[in-house]
Amino acid sequence: MPKQLPKHAQVVIIGGGIVGCSVAYHLVKLGWKHVVLLERKELTSGTTWAAAGLVGQLRATPALTRLALYGTELYPRLEDETGQATGYVTSGAILVAQTEARKHEYDRGAAMARAFGIEMERISLQEARQLWPLLNADDLVAAYYMPKDGHTSPVDTTQALAKGARMGGAGIFEGVKVTDIRSKNGVVCGVSTDQGEVSCEYVVNCGGMWAREIGRMAGVSVPLHAAEHMHIVTTPIEGVHREMPVLRDMDGYIYFRAESDGLLMGGFEPVAKPWGAKGIPESFEFTELKEDWEQFEIFMETGIRRCPVLETAQIRHLSVVPESFTPDTAYILGEAPGLQNFFVAAGMNSVGIASAGGAGRALAEWIVQGYPTEDLWDVDIRRCQSWQVNSRYLYDRTVESLGVLYAHHWPYRQPETARPVRSSPLHDRLAANGACFGVVAGWERANWFAPERVKPEYQYSWGRQNWFEYSAEEHMAVREAVGVFDLTSMAKFLFQGRDAEVVLQSICANDVDVPVRKVVYTQLLNGRGGIEADLTVTRLAEDTYFIVTTGAMETRDFDWISRHIPGDAHATLTNVTSAYAMLGVMGPSARELLSQLTDADLSNESFPFGTARQIDVAYARPLALRMSYVGELGWELFIPTEFATGVFDALMSEGEKFGLRLVGLHAVDSLRLEKGFRHWGSDITPDDTPFEAGLGFAVRLHKGDFMGREALVRQREAGLTRKLVIFTLQDRAPLLYHDEPIYRNGEFVSSITHGAYGHLLGCAIGMGYLENPAGIDDEWILSGSYEIDIEGKLIPAKVHLRAPHDPLGERVRM
């Protein structure tokens, strides 16, 4: 091991757990030699050493599943490569369901697993008992078997990764504490330690529980908080052996695996104990916390019911250790917004062992080539908000977030803790009208409205939930009359300066050299032609543009635009989200309703689609954009916050005679799918080009050079091999959510990107990409026979090249 800390490195990795060692290992595999890893104490001494070591393949999304799959390939071969044993065992795993609801969840997971080549099949309860003889299955309704899952020794696997990194030239230094992060002109340039300074081009924060504090050194938000996590290990039990499958009973909050001929049992309790709110002791190293048998009681009760022999088994040890969890239970990966070359891989939410291999590889590729090899939005640090490092918020959310890992993963499930954080000025009025709120980026958003004498709360299921019919009425009000919805959570930026047009022209695929008051729908592309953002740009003056994007993309899109403003450009980007409330007024009667509140001429001739104008509405003068995300005539009103309630009250008062309904975001989602409008993060991503996504109409290749143009030109010349299409189910009953496998002529081709129920169409609707390496065209698409796998049943589907509703877009131009 090197003794002398170098003065310079290409990259410094902070943290010697399995994630940090995986990043170092993969960086040297990609040819980087000047890699330095700094660990405050000893390798694995934070939380890695005490992990249960489960290595499961299936995750919530396709991208995360691919990362987890890589770990099952990497860990078994590390011993041959490095000579360091990992203790990896391909034991398989059994998942049991106590309820029909959990069975539905597993059936959907099994469909996705098969699509990715992962073996996951339902087995009989008798077969489950044969595989796991200690199992009590009396109260179970189903069991599933995944033969390629496994478990590993966390310490040995980390040491193997570290050894592989050293073999590639990396320097690993233990007993070195980082005390500060240095940067210059918005780019990281080094670290300060208790043993000297190290200059570098890149810093990677793999600090685990310490990652939030390390982020603060750099001015970067890394929202995570530790919670106590516990498991027991028994003395040897007859019938237990090393290759025994892992057993997961998520309804009982518990898992089992073999450990030295005994059982290791741990779990994820619904009400967790946050830890470290006042800081982590400096002496923390291989530290266990005080035993808490009262907290562990819920596991013992369900554990004895599932494995009766546990009642008389001798418990050798109760391990209680802290581990970090994030507010949304997805880990944090990627380059931090606002500070170039500062990367984060932390907040692993108890899947650090299973995910470290894939996460380390993905981050190394991101660092080396400047972008991730595949879309990683689910874990991208740019989904996080700066305010989320608030200590009280993290503490309160952590009480819930640990248990979410084994809770029912319902569609539309909303967090219950640490709310509200961000509220529209209309929040109380919406609540008084029966709004049931969901959360996105901390914003309380009305997802649906309950009628009188109905409690506005979710009753979750995998079928039609309690709000289905109410949302259907909202949906049809927009199609047939008029609806008003609060879109205040949308992010809003002002881009100003004499070079504003030039900068936007260089990053927008569409042409923004337009007259004042013109609205431009455009994508921002990466160098590969992939879609990095999907937004509108409105020219307010020769040197001023108003940019609107979704609330979830606020940090990401602001960062993307900021990074592409040249240092010598006279252009300033300002986030004005909090300055404006936003109301959508949409539907065939929208013009009539608004005409009661304004003297502005709202006719097509005076106020055509795609234009903006400041108009009087009630006692306010909002900026009105003639745009629509629901496929109907309508306006978006951007109202200075202090005027919002007055405009809302006036709309509600005048709207009665036009059949006005308040509309929630669930209806907006179903409306936009019927119209074929895309949503960034599901239907379009950095891996999809506008041509593939059917958004070529928003591309202007002739306008001059812009980011991604060359890639689009090459793709147009070569021809497409994949294309986004729309599916409607021919059976009116099933529902689509996301990631349901699509089969063409009996063969798996891709998955649904996003789905909802089309209430006008009377069936579920979803989008998905079709791919044909030999080239794809409309004839090939229409010649196929399509089915979508929903919980193991193949449901016939009709493919659409255009939107099923108003394919020519005539209704928005009424």
Side-chain angles (χ1 to χ4, degrees), residues 98-387:
Q98 297 183 29
T99 64
E100 287 294 325
R102 185 72 71 177
K103 185 173 82 69
H104 286 301
E105 178 178 331
Y106 286 155
D107 282 338
R108 284 183 172 265
M112 190 175 83
R114 288 192 295 272
F116 282 89
I118 298 173
E119 296 179 58
M120 179 179 177
E121 299 295 336
R122 185 175 174 184
I123 59 176
S124 69
L125 297 180
Q126 182 179 354
E127 289 172 312
R129 282 191 292 263
Q130 289 171 350
L131 289 166
W132 219 84
L134 306 179
L135 175 67
N136 171 26
D138 291 348
D139 60 340
L140 298 179
V141 299
Y144 299 78
Y145 183 48
M146 303 183 70
K148 297 297 178 62
D149 272 20
H151 56 85
T152 196
S153 165
V155 172
D156 291 340
T157 304
T158 304
Q159 293 293 352
L161 289 165
K163 186 173 182 180
R166 291 189 188 100
M167 291 167 61
I172 296 180
F173 298 83
E174 297 176 289
V176 180
K177 180 183 177 181
V178 172
T179 58
D180 199 12
I181 310 292
R182 304 202 316 272
S183 61
K184 184 177 181 180
N185 298 325
V187 183
V188 74
C189 64
V191 301
S192 301
T193 79
D194 57 2
Q195 297 183 27
E197 308 282 324
V198 182
S199 64
C200 59
E201 285 78 55
Y202 298 84
V203 172
V204 187
N205 177 2
C206 299
M209 293 187 298
W210 293 266
R212 180 160 50 118
E213 295 306 316
I214 295 169
R216 280 177 174 163
M217 295 178 191
V220 170
S221 176
V222 184
L224 52 81
H225 196 290
E228 293 187 15
H229 193 41
M230 53 193 74
H231 64 252
I232 59 169
V233 178
T234 73
T235 57
I237 296 174
E238 185 177 353
V240 176
H241 54 89
R242 186 168 178 261
E243 287 75 25
M244 193 172 180
V246 171
L247 179 71
R248 292 186 179 91
D249 179 358
M250 296 171 72
D251 292 312
Y253 320 119
I254 55 173
Y255 62 83
F256 295 90
R257 77 161 175 85
E259 172 75 9
S260 302
D261 294 330
L263 286 175
L264 181 153
M265 183 187 76
F268 297 87
E269 65 270 40
V271 180
K273 289 178 63 179
W275 181 86
K278 296 181 179 180
I280 302 171
E282 180 62 31
S283 60
F284 193 99
E285 179 182 15
F286 299 112
T287 300
E288 291 191 76
L289 307 180
K290 183 180 179 181
E291 293 182 352
D292 188 342
W293 287 102
E294 183 176 347
Q295 183 78 2
F296 199 78
E297 183 178 0
I298 188 173
F299 303 136
M300 288 301 296
E301 290 178 354
T302 57
I304 291 171
R305 185 169 74 248
R306 191 60 51 229
C307 177
V309 72
L310 189 64
E311 187 170 15
T312 56
Q314 182 178 348
I315 297 174
R316 179 160 57 90
H317 184 60
L318 169 60
S319 173
V320 183
V321 294
E323 188 172 344
S324 58
F325 295 84
T326 62
D328 61 1
T329 68
Y331 54 87
I332 299 172
L333 201 69
E335 187 176 13
L339 182 59
Q340 292 185 42
N341 296 352
F342 184 81
F343 287 79
V344 179
M348 302 306 290
N349 299 279
S350 209
V351 297
I353 306 303
S355 301
R361 182 184 70 173
L363 197 69
E365 292 169 344
W366 195 334
I367 292 168
V368 171
Q369 64 190 18
Y371 57 89
T373 299
E374 62 179 330
D375 174 43
L376 295 173
W377 174 242
D378 298 310
V379 291
D380 194 319
I381 187 173
R382 291 171 293 178
R383 78 186 190 280
C384 303
Q385 309 291 313
S386 60
W387 55 265

Side-chain angles (χ1 to χ4, degrees), residues 405-458:
L405 296 171
Y406 270 26
H408 285 281
H409 300 102
W410 302 115
Y412 311 110
R413 184 192 180 280
Q414 302 296 328
E416 298 176 0
T417 54
R419 296 176 61 182
V421 178
R422 306 170 82 182
S423 296
S424 159
L426 305 172
H427 180 274
D428 291 351
R429 280 168 165 75
L430 300 178
N433 280 278
C436 184
F437 294 95
V439 180
V440 170
W443 282 102
E444 296 289 325
R445 310 194 310 172
N447 281 346
W448 56 277
F449 288 85
E452 289 186 21
R453 294 182 293 279
V454 173
K455 193 172 184 178
E457 65 180 17
Y458 281 93

Side-chain angles (χ1 to χ4, degrees), residues 2 6 8-14 20-38 165-166 168-173 198 200 202 204 364 367-368:
H8 178 77
Q10 194 170 10
V11 57
V12 171
I13 301 165
I14 306 171
C21 290
S22 178
V23 174
Y25 171 87
H26 287 94
L27 280 171
V28 301
K29 286 293 182 182
L30 292 174
W32 282 29
K33 301 300 182 184
H34 302 292
V35 175
V36 167
L37 184 149
L38 305 178
R166 291 189 188 100
I172 296 180
F173 298 83
V198 182
C200 59
Y202 298 84
V204 187
I367 292 168
V368 171

Side-chain angles (χ1 to χ4, degrees), residues 4 16 26 29 31 55 84 89 131 150 186 197 243 259 313 333 348 442 501 526 528 625 638-639 668 685 735 777:
Q4 185 66 39
H26 287 94
K29 286 293 182 182
V55 184
Q84 165 68 50
V89 179
L131 289 166
E197 308 282 324
E243 287 75 25
E259 172 75 9
L333 201 69
M348 302 306 290
E501 178 192 309
N526 55 43
R528 308 176 307 284
L625 270 60
F638 295 86
I639 312 160
V668 172
T685 75
L735 301 178
D777 57 24

